Amino acid sequence: MFDRLALRTTFWGTLVTLSVLTIAMTTGTMTLPSFVAAAPFLSAISLLVAVTGWRLLHRELLRRMQDDAVLQDRVRRLTDAMQSSMDGMFLLRSVRDDNGEITDFEITEANGQGAAMLYKRPEQLTGLRLKRDMALMGQQLFNRYLDAMTFMAPVREEMRMHRRLLNASWVMHQATPTADGIAVTLHDISVTKREELRLRKASLTDDLTRLHNRRGFMALAEQQLRLARRQGKDAVVMYVDMNGFKELNDTFGHASGDKALIEVARLLRNTVRDCDVVARLGGDEFTVLALDADGCGARVIQKRIEEQLAGLNASGVLPTTIGLTMGHTRVRPSDPAGIHELLSRADQLLYARKRRRALTLSVSNEKPVRAPRRTPRSAPSVPTMVIPPDVAAVAMAAARMLPTQLATTPMGPALPLERSATSLA
């Protein structure tokens, strides 16, 4: 730039000097001893200066033409890249008032993808202004772009859009300040956000029952408890456990166990309100967070669950009847306990109820102990002996004589008689 300026200054200065000298000598203002002799010299110098000036101008013109060609080629490539981009691209210029304050932003150029996002053609967007022509979101965008121009800080953010305004539900919005405007890029990230939401939901949902899993329940229950405490409302945390789930799996198979889990999950979901949180913590354990409920409300929910369970068992959907044991704890607004502690309380009450039920069943099923029935002792059987007739006659005669002998004989001679009876026998 400076070498061009120096060449221009030298040329024009020399040409002006020669012109002034020629005019002065021609008018007689300045006289030379031999003007005729100096005239060829001045003509030669003028011709040299004219040729040099023409050469400089020609070279400057060629250089400018080359620069214009390079600039046009660059603009053409940038325009092609902008039009072929899969992102929506917009160029906006600042609209200023008489005091130089920015009052609006006007769209000077937009590619086809950006126009399609706004349900328009590119030529329809040219000349539109944010505040004047886009009333629904123009004011919000104007404030953000004005801050970006003021602090020369680019904007990069994810925005959720309404389908009525933009042909994309989620966009990555970028706005970069330029010399006197804003360059805006909109990248459609709807598919990415849907996949992100799907993965997040999958990480917080139980695959079998479609209820919240432990991670999802912990995250959602903490938020709901904070909201309930802020509003001064009570809540109830219920812990539900299936009875004999292992025996069900072992007897009828895991498919029947999965079906039982699905039915219990559906039962719990249909029993409580939509605002309540129901989750499967793992295995055969479920939990319910009932909002705006106290102890009486917990008993009502428990009664409804028991009624629904009776209907399920009577329907014959499952190969056997199932039972549920429930424990609940009330959460007052002044209770600072976290969800882990509340679940622990409800779990302790549940197992206390299980122990009482097991004890009750064992007592009711136990048979009363009766005293053993005493069998009467039977007299020893005496073998029947066949006595010969002569021996029987002698014995009968001896028996008749025995009372008289006992009356007249002392006790001493009884021994020989006893021996005699023994020998007879």
Side-chain angles (χ1 to χ4, degrees), residues 263-280:
E263 292 298 330
V264 170
R266 184 182 295 113
L267 182 149
L268 294 176
R269 184 68 273 175
N270 295 335
T271 302
V272 300
R273 299 166 298 179
D274 294 337
C275 62
D276 298 334
V277 185
V278 185
R280 179 192 176 196

Side-chain angles (χ1 to χ4, degrees), residues 51-65:
V51 171
T52 303
W54 175 82
R55 182 60 181 172
L56 291 175
L57 290 176
H58 181 264
R59 187 168 63 179
E60 180 68 16
L61 181 61
L62 290 178
R63 186 176 298 174
R64 288 192 177 187
M65 291 177 62

Side-chain angles (χ1 to χ4, degrees), residues 346-360:
D347 190 27
Q348 291 176 4
L349 293 174
L350 180 144
Y351 276 97
R353 181 170 294 180
K354 271 197 169 186
R355 287 191 295 269
R356 289 196 300 268
R357 177 175 295 179
L359 182 60
T360 303

